[in-house]
Amino acid sequence: MKEKGIEVAQADLENPSSLPAAFQGATAIFLTTDFWAPFYNPSTKALLKDGETLGEYCYAKELRQVKNVAEAASKVEGLERIVVSSLVDATKLSDGKYKGVYHWDGKARGVEYLIEKYPELAKKMSVVYVGNYMSNWLHDLKLRKVCHSSSQYCWRY
């Protein structure tokens, strides 16, 4: 990929000191966090504070990762674009009716943080809101078959 002018660098979103070297010379950064990897990792339970749920832990981890990237990205000379993969804030959009949707709210609050704390970086930001990933349709969604008499198609949802 280097021959096409693309260089891939590795960093650890949990280790802020690894980010500047990975971002050096970047003109674009794509940020995505992974709520589910620590959620499904059995060793995560040992990291929980007293009274903390697994969802709360993963929420805090995602938010911290966005903050780490925002801090480092705000110092990158020549950065033209930061693209953030996010979800909507379910708690806020439902006026508090739906709480504990941590895998959505953590990403959304990360975008809010970036906008508030780093307005110059936010001017370079695009946010991608993916309603659903196609791979979820194959594995993760617990679908049921529903056929509508007015349609020749059956959908599983």
Side-chain angles (χ1 to χ4, degrees):
M1 289 180 41
K2 204 168 191 170
E3 64 277 357
K4 295 182 180 183
I6 301 169
E7 186 176 344
V8 177
Q10 184 173 341
D12 180 352
L13 302 184
E14 285 292 303
N15 179 1
S17 65
S18 73
L19 299 173
F23 294 169
Q24 186 175 8
T27 56
I29 295 171
F30 181 85
L31 168 61
T32 187
T33 55
D34 185 357
F35 179 92
W36 298 109
F39 188 88
Y40 288 116
N41 185 337
S43 66
T44 301
K45 290 181 182 175
L47 303 173
L48 301 180
K49 298 174 188 165
D50 285 341
E52 184 178 39
T53 67
L54 196 52
E56 290 167 336
Y57 174 86
C58 295
Y59 165 92
K61 183 177 179 105
E62 272 197 307
L63 185 54
R64 183 174 57 249
Q65 290 176 350
V66 174
K67 289 179 177 183
N68 290 345
V69 170
E71 169 72 21
S74 71
K75 298 174 183 167
V76 176
E77 290 185 32
L79 184 67
E80 297 172 17
R81 178 72 42 207
I82 180 166
V83 179
V84 181
S85 176
S86 188
L87 293 166
V88 298
D89 191 323
T91 302
K92 285 186 180 179
L93 288 176
S94 70
D95 291 325
K97 181 178 178 180
Y98 301 110
K99 297 178 182 173
V101 189
Y102 298 116
H103 63 290
W104 289 24
D105 293 354
K107 290 178 181 351
R109 304 251 170 87
V111 169
E112 275 181 14
Y113 171 85
L114 192 150
I115 291 167
E116 291 169 12
K117 178 91 176 175
Y118 301 100
E120 291 305 310
L121 181 61
K123 290 177 185 175
K124 302 173 185 181
M125 179 174 63
S126 296
V127 183
V128 176
Y129 295 97
V130 178
N132 205 341
Y133 295 98
M134 290 307 294
S135 60
N136 291 348
W137 288 96
L138 297 175
H139 305 291
D140 298 336
L141 294 178
K142 307 302 181 239
L143 305 175
R144 67 175 196 254
K145 186 175 181 179
V146 175
C147 292
H148 299 281
S149 59
S150 62
S151 172
Q152 63 182 0
Y153 302 104
C154 289
W155 295 98
R156 295 184 183 274
Y157 65 93

